[in-house]
Each structure stands twice: as structure tokens, then as C-alpha cells.
Amino acid sequence: MFSKHKPTSVPADHTVSPPASSYTAPSRDEPRSGNGRPATIGAHTSIEGSVVGEEELIIDGQVVGTVEFKRNTVSIGNDGRVEGDIVAQTLNVAGSVEGRLIASHKITVHHTAQITGTIITPCLVLEDGAVFQGNIDMDAENDVLRAAFGGSVSTPAPQSYAQHDAEPQIDDDDADESAQAETQREENS
């Protein structure tokens, strides 16, 4: 019924080249920019004032002011620096930030990050080696978070998703994580 076909093996000296860029496609539940590539503030660029957009943003330069990409991911590269508030769906910080980091979904603080300020998000990943000085609020019902996103904050639990025209798609891993989070909440109550 089933044939036992052995797959061909890859020679031991075979190497796979890394991708041409460090850009990774957004997950299926994150909005994409029109051309599929993120907007970039280059390493030799400095901006003073508000930066607002509806696409992914990578900051490798310096921004003094507010960064607001409420429906997308903002990533601050190793040499990136932001002095001001950042509001995004998802934040990845590897550089330096002074101000409030507000994310409706998740904030990841990488080991090279240096942050002074306040982190407000329902989900936080803080890597060993990151330097953080300030406050953290992970309450999905936080007034600042609700005001920034109009009351629509996405959390890992399915019942906490904002109502949209269509139900959010949840894969098996997300469902397992949601069930575990709900079980932990019930145990803590």
C-alpha cells in the first residue's frame, strides 16, 4: 500500500545561503503595505516630528517625535533611535527608545535594546541582556491602550479579539496558547 521510498540526502558539505535581506513577511493576521515591502527610515536619516503610516516600518535612523502605525509592525534596528511615543500593533525593538511603547498585540525587546520609559501591551517578550528602565503594564484593559486603539486590543485569548466583519483566523498553535492562557487565568482567579 505504501512504498518505503527513501528521500535523497543532502551532502554534508552543502550549505544554504541566508536570504538576501533580513525582512520577514508579516504573519497572515498583520496588514501588509501595498507593495509587500516595509517602509524604512535609513541609518543616515533623522526625522523630527510625527511619523504616521499604514504599512510596516523599519527604523534604522533617528526619530524625535511620535511614531504611529496602529495596524502594523514597527521595528527599531540595532542602530535605530526613537525619542518619543511609539504606537503600533506589534513592536520589535533592538535599538534605543526613550518614551512610551504602546502595542495592541505584542512587544519584543531584543537583547541589544536600551529602553527608558513605559511599555504598555498585553504580550511582552523581553530577551536576556536587554536594558530596560521604567514601567510595564500588560493589562489589556489599560486606559492608555484602549484610547490609543479605540478599545480594540488583540490579546492571545479568542474572546478578547475586537469584532470585525469576519471572525479572526486562529491556527492550532494560537488556539492551544489561548486555551493555556485561559486555564491560567481561571487558576489565578
Side-chain angles (χ1 to χ4, degrees), residues 93-175:
V93 182
S96 174
V97 177
E98 289 182 32
R100 294 187 307 171
L101 288 83
I102 304 167
S104 64
H105 182 66
K106 180 180 183 178
I107 296 176
T108 302
V109 180
H110 297 281
H111 70 279
T112 56
Q114 295 187 349
I115 298 173
T116 303
T118 301
I119 293 175
I120 303 170
T121 186
C123 182
L124 175 65
V125 175
L126 187 61
E127 292 182 357
D128 286 343
V131 177
F132 173 75
Q133 193 171 25
N135 299 308
I136 297 172
D137 189 333
M138 294 177 62
D139 181 8
E141 302 299 321
N142 180 295
D143 291 337
V144 173
L145 196 58
R146 289 168 116 356
F149 294 95
S152 61
V153 178
S154 61
T155 60
Q159 69 272 17
S160 298
Y161 281 99
Q163 293 296 320
H164 296 287
D165 294 336
E167 288 293 318
Q169 297 295 318
I170 300 174
D171 63 22
D172 292 337
D173 292 337
D174 288 340

Side-chain angles (χ1 to χ4, degrees), residues 44-79:
H44 302 289
T45 303
S46 179
I47 296 176
E48 290 187 30
S50 296
V51 180
V52 179
E54 289 294 326
E55 59 190 337
E56 279 194 49
L57 176 66
I58 298 173
I59 300 172
D60 288 325
Q62 181 174 345
V63 175
V64 177
T66 303
V67 177
E68 196 171 299
F69 284 67
K70 291 182 179 183
R71 296 187 53 212
N72 297 91
T73 299
V74 173
S75 299
I76 294 101
N78 290 347
D79 296 324

